[in-house]
Amino acid sequence: MKLFNEVPLAPDDAILGVVEAYKKDPRDPKVNLSIGIYSDANGQVPILNAVKAAEKYLYEHPTPKVYLPMSGLGSYVDCVQKLLFTEDHALYQEKRLATVQSLGGTGALKVGADFLHTIVPNSTVYVSDPTWNNHIAIFEGAGFKVARYPYFDPETKGVAFDKFYQFMETLPANSIVILHACCHNPTGADLTTEQWQKVAKLFKERDLIPFLDMAYQGFSKGIREDAESIHIFAEQNIPVFIATSFSKSFSLYSERIGALTVITSDAKEQERITSQLKTMVRAIYSSPPSYGAQIVHYVLADPTLRASWEQELAEMRDRIKDMRAKFVKLLNSKQDKIDFEFINQQAGMFSYSGLNADQVEKMKKDYAIYTVGSGRICIAALNDQNIELAADAVVNVL
Ligand code: LMR
């Protein structure tokens, strides 16, 4: 059709494109270490027991499938706020949190991006170098200019904090800075408490706008510990944007359940901001679906199920740490060019392995081991059946 004559084929997505290629690969065995999805020791994506209990309840107590409000399920929104800050926190007590349910963490970023574009359209959005690629697409898609800030030091495999901080010192007021609240994707390198404190102070001094992406709460140290960065920014009494995702922590990837929370100065301001966020939602998808929100609410509001969820999340976190240790041991025992101990220091689901695009391509072509082109390996998809294959492939391409 003439209308489409000049439409080019879009390039494959850096992460989802790898998953598509993996699915098409007829070889056996093959291993998918690309996308950030947790699999259990048997290579299955778990359905958490707490989630099963909630689903059973929902099945036995059906409710009419009417539209949710634009801001989502009220009881879910309340749980999100309490999970981020606890019920006793002044921000919760004083009704200063503007929260809307969203389609996963991506939806939260999009709603926040669209809203910010209505108030600071000329601001530049800064993302870490490297970052999750979709950050760039989402904020460019909302109409912003997107630039990178220095973040990762390939020598130490940690945060290049001095460079990072010096760069932030040069940013003009109202610059929007996307930060990873914990478990930095893709590097697994996070700031220390002292570094977060220093950065949060600077953001206040320079009127920078922090937008914290919280996609992996509970995968580094624990549910409360991983929210530390958010609390540190909140203490500065500045506007803070937080994108929450329950994809990983509840293993609810396909339910697309997340939330956007904005810290405001008082209850009246919160009402105004919430009304604007609702306007954004209405224009993108009108109102969110209810199923994931009902599950998360049911689990978080029930003390027994909540305890069960916390336990299951801790098990996921611990299994990933075990896999890190085993992977390092295997890699270091099979070669002596590189000391892979740094993998043990990285937080979250991933290892930023240092493999380059050619090596990643060779692992795929010669060994059917799929990782992301940046060299990011999903440690959360390793298990006792595939870890040796993965380690052999890495060693053979070094
Ligand atoms: C990832 O980084 O692999 C996940 O966040 C999934 C995605 O949407 O890219």
Side-chain angles (χ1 to χ4, degrees):
M1 289 182 191
K2 209 167 146 207
L3 177 66
F4 301 135
N5 279 355
E6 302 305 317
V7 178
L9 190 67
D12 285 339
D13 181 78
I15 297 170
L16 303 183
V18 182
V19 178
E20 286 170 18
Y22 168 82
K23 284 191 178 148
K24 283 190 206 142
D25 191 334
R27 288 176 288 177
D28 183 23
K30 59 177 178 175
V31 184
N32 181 13
L33 304 178
S34 60
I35 193 162
I37 293 185
Y38 174 90
S39 309
D40 64 17
N42 300 315
Q44 300 300 315
V45 178
I47 306 174
L48 304 187
N49 288 327
V51 168
K52 278 187 205 156
E55 290 196 289
K56 183 167 181 288
Y57 177 85
L58 293 175
Y59 178 73
E60 288 167 356
H61 300 82
T63 47
K65 311 280 182 198
V66 292
Y67 293 122
L68 284 186
M70 291 172 276
S71 52
L73 189 69
S75 51
Y76 163 81
V77 163
D78 188 59
C79 285
V80 171
Q81 296 183 344
K82 288 195 249 182
L83 185 69
L84 284 173
F85 287 101
T86 75
E87 198 166 352
D88 304 329
H89 200 285
L91 290 176
Y92 179 81
Q93 292 289 330
E94 294 164 14
K95 300 193 183 338
R96 288 173 55 194
L97 299 168
T99 302
V100 293
Q101 185 185 327
S102 65
L103 299 182
T106 305
L109 290 160
K110 170 67 179 160
V111 172
D114 280 0
F115 170 56
L116 280 165
H117 199 258
T118 65
I119 49 176
V120 282
N122 298 321
S123 288
T124 298
V125 174
Y126 293 89
V127 299
S128 63
D129 184 14
T131 191
W132 182 55
N133 279 354
N134 221 18
H135 282 153
I136 300 166
I138 292 166
F139 283 88
E140 281 183 350
F144 284 108
K145 182 171 173 281
V146 177
R148 289 165 199 267
Y149 60 81
Y151 186 78
F152 185 66
D153 181 346
E155 289 301 311
T156 64
K157 304 273 195 294
V159 180
F161 186 71
D162 290 346
K163 278 193 190 154
F164 165 87
Y165 189 82
Q166 282 155 17
F167 187 87
M168 295 298 153
E169 283 181 307
T170 67
L171 296 184
N174 287 338
S175 295
I176 299 160
V177 183
I178 313 300
L179 298 156
H180 302 226
C182 67
C183 306
H184 183 270
N185 178 4
T187 68
D190 289 335
L191 270 62
T192 63
T193 307
E194 294 68 34
Q195 289 171 337
W196 280 122
Q197 281 163 343
K198 205 170 160 198
V199 170
K201 261 198 207 143
L202 182 71
F203 273 50
K204 185 181 176 104
E205 274 161 36
R206 300 196 63 81
D207 280 325
L208 306 179
I209 305 167
F211 200 139
L212 288 128
D213 187 349
M214 175 59 113
Y216 298 91
Q217 187 170 6
F219 279 87
S220 177
K221 296 183 185 132
I223 295 163
R224 278 154 291 276
E225 295 87 335
D226 292 353
E228 183 189 46
S229 54
I230 290 171
H231 284 242
I232 290 174
F233 275 102
E235 276 162 24
Q236 294 299 327
N237 220 7
I238 56 175
V240 182
F241 286 66
I242 305 148
T244 297
S245 167
F246 291 112
S247 295
K248 335 274 174 179
S249 57
F250 272 75
S251 195
L252 278 176
Y253 307 87
S254 61
E255 297 304 340
R256 311 308 299 133
I257 182 65
L260 172 68
T261 299
V262 184
I263 298 180
T264 66
S265 22
D266 55 40
K268 281 257 165 284
E269 188 174 278
Q270 178 270 117
E271 273 177 32
R272 284 189 287 118
I273 303 307
T274 305
S275 74
Q276 290 297 333
L277 299 180
K278 283 157 67 178
T279 307
M280 302 300 124
V281 168
R282 178 69 167 150
I284 316 174
Y285 51 85
S286 197
S287 64
S290 62
Y291 192 62
Q294 286 179 305
I295 293 173
V296 172
H297 160 247
Y298 191 74
V299 171
L300 291 182
D302 180 286
T304 311
L305 288 186
R306 180 169 173 145
S308 157
W309 168 64
E310 293 203 15
Q311 174 63 29
E312 292 182 276
L313 182 52
E315 280 165 21
M316 293 197 271
R317 177 169 67 241
D318 291 345
R319 201 192 78 78
I320 298 172
K321 286 186 183 149
D322 273 3
M323 284 299 119
R324 284 189 186 281
K326 282 192 180 153
F327 203 41
V328 170
K329 216 166 162 201
L330 276 172
L331 290 169
N332 281 355
S333 69
K334 287 171 187 284
Q335 54 80 48
D336 52 17
K337 277 192 221 159
I338 297 172
D339 179 2
F340 280 95
E341 176 54 33
F342 65 84
I343 293 180
N344 277 323
Q345 311 312 321
Q346 297 167 332
M349 283 195 175
F350 306 115
S351 165
Y352 202 54
S353 65
L355 293 175
N356 61 37
D358 290 343
Q359 291 168 322
V360 167
E361 185 58 28
K362 207 163 157 28
M363 291 219 302
K364 177 175 88 180
K365 215 167 129 262
D366 297 351
Y367 305 99
I369 307 289
Y370 285 73
T371 63
V372 178
S374 64
R376 188 191 83 171
I377 294 176
C378 183
I379 300 288
L382 288 174
N383 55 51
D384 286 342
Q385 293 83 60
N386 66 22
I387 197 165
E388 184 112 27
L389 290 173
D392 284 339
V394 171
V395 168
N396 288 339
V397 300
L398 287 180

